[in-house]
Amino acid sequence: MLNDFNNISIKKSSLNEDTPVKETAQNEHSIKYFGPGNYRLTKKDINYIAYGACFLGSGGGGSIGLALLFIDKMINDADVMFYVNPDNLEATKNISFIATLGSPDKMFEGFGQTASLNAFSEMNHYLSKSGQEPLGYLIPVELGAINTLIPFIISARKGIEVINGDPCGRAAPEMSMNLFNINKLSLNPVILTSDTDESGHYKKTIIQAKNADDAENQARQFAKSHNYLAGMACYPMQGADLNCSILSGKNRAKFIQWSVGLAWNLGHTRVESRNYTEFLDFLGDFSLSSYKLFEGIITNKEERKISGFDAGKITVSNEKESLFIYYKNESLLAWNVTRKCYVAMGPDSINFLAKNDAQPLSNADINSDSAKNPKNIPLGTEIGIIGLCAFEKLQNTVLVDLFLTNIQETLAAFPEDHVPLPERYIQLSDLMQHYKK
C-alpha cells in the first residue's frame, strides 16, 4: 500500500516474508502467471519487464533508455522468450546467472551486445567438459532495466527459461550484496568474456575467485582491457538448490521469488496507462509497503568517482523543501536538507517516477546525453520519489552492514554537505513514523 509520509498507515508487505505470498488470489496469480500464457513472453512483454525492473532497481541496474535500445536491436518481433516459476524448477537442470558489466557510454555506442551471450556459451562449454548437461535455466543477477533484461535476450536466442526471481530484490552497488553470497552458494567458476570482434572471435578467462569481491574486481580489470565491457557467468547450481516447492521451503531464503512477475505487472501498468496516479494506485494493490517520500523538480546532479564507482547526488526541490539522494550507481540514502533528517536508506529502495507520464528512471538516465539516450530525463523534470521497504530477507545483518559501508563511503565523497553518517540501519517504516511536517 502506498502511503503519503504525512498520513502514514504502515502495512507490512507479505512479499517481504520468507513464506509464500499471502495477497489476494488475483495478485498472487498475476506475479506467477503473466504475459500471453503458457510461460511464453513476447518482445512487448520484455518491454514491460524492463520498465518495471527499472522502477524496482532503486536508481540502478542500468538505464531504461539503454535497455529499450538493447531490446530493439537484440530481440525480434517474432521472438519468443520463456520463464519458469521457482516452485517448478527441475532438480537436475543446471542454473547460472549471466550479466553484462561495464561502460554505459560504450553500450550506447553499440558495444556490449554479444558479451553476455559469449559468457553463456562458455559456461555451457565448461559444464560439458565437466561431464554435465548444459544450462537449463538462467536467473537475473538483480532487478534493473539492463540486468533483468540480459537473461531474456539469451532466451530469445537460445530458448532457455528464465527464473521468475532474483538474488537482490533491487539493484545493489557490489556483487557481494546478494543472497547467493549471503547464503554461501558456490560462486565458481567465474567466466568472463569480451564482445565478439569483427573476425568473429572473443576473449575469455575462467577464474576461481576467492570471494564475490575478488570476482568483481577481476571482472572490472577484464572489462578495462576489453573496451570497458565484459560478460560474466557464475554461481553454477542446479534446480534443486533453488526449487521453492512445498518440499524445498529452505530455498526461499536464497533469493527473492516472483520479482520478475512483479516487474512485468508494474511495467504493463506504466506502458498501458502512462499515468502517475494510476501507477501508484496499482503499486499499492500488491501490498508491497511503499511510501510517497517527496515530489519536486530535479534541480541538480553531481558525480564524483570513488573506488571506480560513480558516487553521486541528485537534488530534488519543491517550494518548501529540498532532498538530496545519494547514490553509488544505485540510490542508497535520501536526506531532507530542509529538515536535516534521513528519509530512506538502503537496503530499502529509493525509486523515481516522472510525474507527467509515470516513466521510471535510473540515476544514469538523469541529465544524460539526449543524443544517445532516448529516455534522457533533463534537469527541471518533475518527479515523485517512492520508497519501498526492503524484502525481509534483505535486512540480514551482513547485507545491512554492507549497505551502511556503501552509504558511508558515498557521504564521504560529499563532506561539504555535513550529512551525519548513519550508525545503524533505520527501516523505512520507522523513519516514516518520525517524519514530521
Side-chain angles (χ1 to χ4, degrees):
M1 178 178 184
L2 188 102
N3 303 295
D4 191 294
F5 59 67
N6 290 325
N7 183 23
I8 297 163
S9 174
I10 296 170
K11 182 176 182 180
K12 271 278 189 179
S13 168
S14 56
L15 276 171
N16 287 350
E17 303 298 334
D18 286 344
T19 53
V21 180
K22 297 177 181 176
E23 303 170 15
T24 65
Q26 179 180 354
N27 287 339
E28 179 178 333
H29 187 273
S30 67
I31 61 174
K32 293 183 178 181
Y33 308 104
F34 52 93
N38 202 27
Y39 303 100
R40 294 170 176 256
L41 299 172
T42 66
K43 183 175 182 178
K44 190 173 185 179
D45 295 307
I46 305 307
N47 272 276
Y48 294 156
I49 289 170
Y51 273 109
C54 181
F55 174 75
L56 295 168
S58 193
S63 156
I64 183 61
L66 182 59
L68 296 178
L69 290 174
F70 265 41
I71 291 170
D72 284 341
K73 291 180 180 179
M74 301 177 71
I75 298 178
N76 298 316
D77 290 340
D79 284 342
V80 176
M81 282 75 36
F82 303 88
Y83 74 94
V84 60
N85 280 321
D87 48 2
N88 292 328
L89 299 177
E90 294 183 29
T92 59
K93 280 193 174 183
N94 286 317
I95 300 171
S96 176
F97 83 43
I98 312 287
T100 298
L101 66 155
S103 166
D105 288 339
K106 291 293 184 181
M107 294 185 200
F108 272 119
E109 292 171 9
F111 300 102
Q113 297 181 21
T114 56
S116 59
L117 284 161
N118 293 337
F120 169 82
S121 296
E122 289 300 326
M123 180 59 84
N124 271 342
H125 183 62
Y126 176 89
L127 291 171
S128 176
K129 287 182 64 177
S130 303
Q132 300 183 56
E133 292 296 315
L135 290 170
Y137 305 119
L138 299 179
I139 187 166
V141 60
E142 63 183 5
L143 291 179
I146 287 291
N147 289 331
T148 307
L149 167 65
I150 293 300
F152 287 102
I153 291 174
I154 299 172
S155 179
R157 303 286 182 89
K158 304 296 183 179
I160 192 169
E161 294 172 298
V162 179
I163 296 171
N164 182 5
D166 78 286
C168 287
R170 48 163 290 162
E174 298 177 357
M175 187 173 168
S176 59
M177 300 165 73
N178 74 74
L179 290 169
F180 289 170
N181 184 48
I182 299 304
N183 285 280
K184 303 186 184 307
L185 299 186
S186 177
L187 170 66
N188 291 309
V190 178
I191 299 176
L192 304 172
T193 53
S194 69
D195 261 340
T196 302
D197 61 25
E198 293 179 353
S199 65
H201 299 95
Y202 59 86
K203 301 295 184 181
K204 68 176 181 180
T205 186
I206 301 176
I207 63 175
Q208 299 292 325
K210 298 175 184 176
N211 51 41
D213 288 335
D214 180 42
E216 183 168 16
N217 289 335
Q218 293 203 51
R220 290 182 178 278
Q221 291 301 316
F222 181 90
K224 285 180 181 179
S225 301
H226 297 89
N227 201 28
Y228 291 91
L229 291 164
M232 173 188 280
C234 53
Y235 284 110
M237 63 189 86
Q238 291 193 315
D241 297 313
L242 295 184
N243 183 293
C244 292
S245 68
I246 192 169
L247 299 177
S248 306
K250 65 180 182 180
N251 287 339
R252 295 183 183 278
K254 299 176 183 177
F255 69 116
I256 306 298
Q257 294 81 48
W258 328 118
S259 55
V260 175
L262 176 62
W264 183 95
N265 277 271
L266 294 176
H268 177 270
T269 295
R270 185 274 153 188
V271 170
E272 300 304 327
S273 75
R274 301 173 66 87
N275 183 284
Y276 176 76
T277 301
E278 288 183 17
F279 182 94
L280 296 185
D281 288 344
F282 185 74
L283 176 63
D285 288 343
F286 284 90
S287 300
L288 189 64
S289 291
S290 53
Y291 302 87
K292 188 191 299 178
L293 303 178
F294 196 78
E295 292 178 332
I297 303 296
I298 303 173
T299 58
N300 193 37
K301 178 183 179 182
E302 183 180 358
E303 287 191 347
R304 301 174 186 178
K305 290 289 184 182
I306 54 168
S307 305
F309 289 86
D310 290 328
K313 177 179 69 176
I314 294 166
T315 306
V316 182
S317 303
N318 57 32
E319 294 179 354
K320 296 181 179 180
E321 299 178 325
S322 292
L323 238 64
F324 287 162
I325 298 92
Y326 293 94
Y327 62 91
K328 183 180 171 184
N329 291 354
E330 287 74 25
S331 296
L332 297 172
L333 181 75
W335 171 261
N336 189 303
V337 182
T338 309
R339 306 188 198 185
K340 299 188 184 305
C341 64
Y342 303 125
V343 180
M345 65 177 66
D348 297 322
S349 57
I350 302 161
N351 310 286
F352 301 142
L353 278 179
K355 288 198 70 179
N356 68 323
D357 63 356
Q359 178 187 317
L361 50 136
S362 72
N363 296 320
D365 293 304
I366 297 174
N367 201 30
S368 61
D369 186 345
S370 59
K372 295 180 178 179
N373 186 354
K375 292 297 182 180
N376 169 59
I377 300 294
L379 300 182
T381 300
E382 186 177 10
I383 66 169
I385 304 174
I386 312 302
L388 293 181
C389 294
F391 294 95
E392 226 170 76
K393 59 192 87 172
L394 297 182
Q395 297 176 33
N396 170 285
T397 302
V398 176
L399 273 175
V400 165
D401 287 345
L402 288 169
F403 272 100
L404 283 174
T405 297
N406 278 268
I407 291 170
Q408 291 162 1
E409 288 178 354
T410 305
L411 289 177
F414 296 90
E416 69 277 13
D417 293 345
H418 302 292
V419 175
L421 300 179
E423 296 179 355
R424 63 181 181 89
Y425 164 56
I426 307 173
Q427 294 182 2
L428 181 59
S429 55
D430 291 337
L431 285 172
M432 291 297 97
Q433 283 183 308
H434 300 94
Y435 196 36
K436 306 296 184 182
K437 288 188 178 181

